[in-house]
């Protein structure tokens, strides 16, 4: 069963919870905007469903509600940002702003981040440069739930990659994808719905394929993008994200990445600080006039969208489903599964906030 609540109502509730955690007003507003962008775009696994997880991490002392986010090393086009243990929902946008400012000055900006936490959906961060005629790139490593090809050990996260490219009259191109066959959040949704997962999403502890949504909880692993014959490609992409986000910044990488759930403790022998992210911003006019580029992007998008499709289908551009969902949910509200609603109600009682 689901209950639909207005976006504005959920926004006010989440913002109040972040304030109750001790976040300054500006940070609470930014964290809420970042978090709720997932619900709006239909990525329900990364929206308010995760709010209780952030609270539990804060209660465990693993999130700093008042971080001093700052640059620790930089060149004209690059920087390392230390998130000071803050909410990734806040650290991420601030780090992307550093990348955008460098792009404004020298054409491109590249920022690797350490000492952060889960930053919501990668697409939100990648889209921030669009309004400035910039291409945005966002990556993050994540809790080790993924077995590399042929491995029984979980060494990587779902490690998403997002790329946002501005267009003119057409909607912007926005790719936001995990480097696994499915994100862990989809398993969480299947668990709440008590439904099996498709074959190819996960393996059990012995390495056999499994459709049990609890298989990762029981010692199994998520599988890299590419399936039985191509998982080495997803493994490679996830590895690149881990290296750019963490090895480059000084964050924890591979099996040392701290788990998102508060009941699991971080590794006793960390190799870095917190989670890592990686952001890029590229000024279009550092390559060619922005108007010309965006006109060609319009042509690219309309050409692909007009391609002949298989019966009953249509050819989509990355970002189309999320944009269409956002338009519907902004007006009609955001559906919440009953377990998520109960979690939010418990948070309301904890902090004295009305849902």
């Amino acid at each position: 069963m689901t209950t639909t609540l207005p976006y504005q109502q959920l926004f006010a509730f989440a913002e109040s919870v972040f304030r109750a955690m001790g976040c300054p007003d500006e940070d609470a507003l930014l964290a809420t905007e970042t978090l709720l962008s997932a619900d709006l775009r239909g990525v329900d696994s990364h929206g308010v469903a995760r709010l209780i997880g952030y609270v539990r991490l804060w209660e465990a002392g693993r999130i700093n509600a008042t971080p001093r986010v700052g640059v620790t090393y930089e060149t004209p086009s690059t920087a390392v940002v230390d998130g000071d243990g803050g909410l990734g929902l806040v650290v991420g946008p601030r780090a992307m702003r550093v990348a955008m400012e460098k792009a404004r000055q020298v054409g491109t900006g590249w920022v690797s981040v350490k000492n952060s936490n889960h930053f919501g959906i990668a697409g939100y961060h990648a889209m921030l440069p669009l309004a400035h005629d910039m291409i945005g790139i966002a990556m993050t490593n994540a809790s080790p739930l993924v077995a590399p090809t042929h491995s029984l050990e979980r060494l990587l996260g779902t490690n998403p990659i997002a790329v946002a490219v501005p267009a003119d009259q057409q909607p912007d191109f926005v790719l936001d994808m995990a480097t696994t066959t499915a994100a862990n959040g989809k398993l969480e949704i299947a668990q709440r719905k008590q439904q099996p997962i498709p074959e190819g999403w996960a393996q059990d502890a012995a390495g056999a394929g499994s459709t049990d949504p609890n298989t990762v909880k029981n010692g199994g692993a998520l599988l890299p993008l590419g399936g039985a014959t191509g998982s080495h490609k997803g493994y490679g992409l996830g590895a690149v994200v881990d290296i750019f986000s963490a090895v480059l910044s000084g964050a924890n990488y591979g099996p040392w990445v701290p788990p998102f759930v508060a009941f699991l403790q971080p590794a006793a022998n960390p190799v870095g600080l917190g989670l890592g992210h990686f952001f890029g911003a590229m000024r279009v006019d550092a390559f060619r006039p922005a108007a010309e580029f965006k006109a060609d992007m319009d042509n690219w998008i309309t050409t692909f969208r007009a391609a002949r499709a298989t019966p009953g289908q249509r050819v989509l551009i990355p970002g189309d489903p999320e944009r269409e969902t956002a338009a519907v949910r902004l007006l009609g509200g955001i559906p919440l599964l009953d377990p998520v609603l109960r979690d939010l109600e418990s948070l309301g009682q904890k902090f004295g906030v009305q849902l």
Side-chain angles (χ1 to χ4, degrees):
M1 297 291 292
T2 62
T3 300
T4 299
L5 295 180
Y7 168 77
Q8 294 79 5
Q9 181 178 342
L10 280 175
F11 194 104
F13 175 79
E15 186 178 5
S16 296
V17 169
F18 284 125
R19 283 201 184 105
M21 289 169 56
C23 295
D25 289 351
E26 181 181 351
D27 287 6
L29 181 64
L30 179 57
T32 305
E33 181 180 299
T34 309
L35 184 70
L36 266 292
S37 70
D39 295 291
L40 269 186
R41 296 177 66 78
V43 190
D44 297 330
S45 58
H46 284 54
V48 290
R50 293 215 175 223
L51 183 57
I52 195 167
Y54 292 113
V55 171
R56 287 170 176 164
L57 287 175
W58 167 72
E59 290 175 329
R62 289 171 51 192
I63 283 181
N64 177 8
T66 56
R68 299 180 65 180
V69 181
V71 173
T72 60
Y73 183 86
E74 65 181 327
T75 72
S77 63
T78 66
V80 172
V81 166
D82 188 323
D84 194 26
L87 282 162
L89 303 168
V90 172
V91 176
R94 290 187 177 175
M96 178 55 96
R97 289 175 192 162
V98 174
M100 291 165 59
E101 177 57 24
K102 288 185 175 293
R104 188 189 68 78
Q105 294 180 6
V106 298
T108 67
W110 305 97
V111 174
S112 196
V113 180
K114 62 182 177 182
N115 206 6
S116 186
N117 283 282
H118 190 280
F119 75 176
I121 60 169
Y124 172 84
H125 308 282
M127 292 171 66
L128 291 175
L130 290 175
H132 305 277
D133 282 349
M134 295 182 186
I135 295 170
I137 298 172
M139 309 177 192
T140 184
N141 67 2
S143 306
L145 300 174
V146 182
T149 303
H150 305 314
S151 174
L152 293 178
E153 294 186 49
R154 305 190 307 200
L155 298 176
L156 288 172
T158 54
N159 294 9
I161 298 171
V163 179
V165 183
D168 187 16
Q169 300 302 311
Q170 293 297 315
D172 301 317
F173 174 106
V174 182
L175 172 71
D176 186 355
M177 53 170 268
T179 53
T180 48
T181 304
N184 185 54
K186 292 189 176 181
L187 268 71
E188 294 171 348
I189 292 173
Q191 291 162 17
R192 296 185 189 111
K193 292 182 175 180
Q194 298 182 340
Q195 295 177 345
I197 58 174
E199 293 185 5
W201 282 19
Q203 67 183 28
D204 64 21
S210 175
T211 60
D212 180 359
N214 296 296
T215 192
V216 176
K217 285 184 174 181
N218 296 328
L222 293 172
L223 294 173
L225 181 68
T229 60
S231 68
H232 60 288
K233 298 178 181 179
Y235 166 34
L237 289 172
V240 167
V241 173
D242 200 35
I243 294 167
F244 280 27
S245 299
V247 181
L248 198 57
S249 68
N252 288 292
Y253 47 82
W256 291 278
V257 176
F260 179 75
V261 291
F263 60 83
L264 293 178
Q265 292 299 312
N269 57 336
V271 292
L273 294 174
L275 267 73
H277 318 311
F278 185 80
F279 300 104
M282 297 186 289
R283 227 175 58 215
V284 170
D285 67 2
F287 297 86
R288 60 183 298 204
E292 293 180 7
F293 171 83
K294 292 197 294 183
D296 278 346
M297 276 302 302
D298 278 1
N299 186 43
W300 190 98
I301 290 168
T302 55
T303 299
F304 277 71
R305 190 174 282 130
R308 288 183 295 119
T310 56
Q313 301 295 326
R314 61 189 177 112
V315 178
L316 298 172
I317 303 302
D320 280 350
E322 295 87 348
R323 175 177 49 82
E324 292 167 5
T325 299
V328 171
R329 290 188 171 187
L330 192 58
L331 294 177
I334 294 171
L336 302 176
L337 292 170
D338 284 348
V340 175
L341 184 62
R342 289 194 294 270
D343 283 346
L344 297 183
E345 289 171 342
S346 72
L347 287 179
Q349 293 172 1
K350 178 190 294 284
F351 291 116
V353 176
Q354 181 66 40
L355 179 60

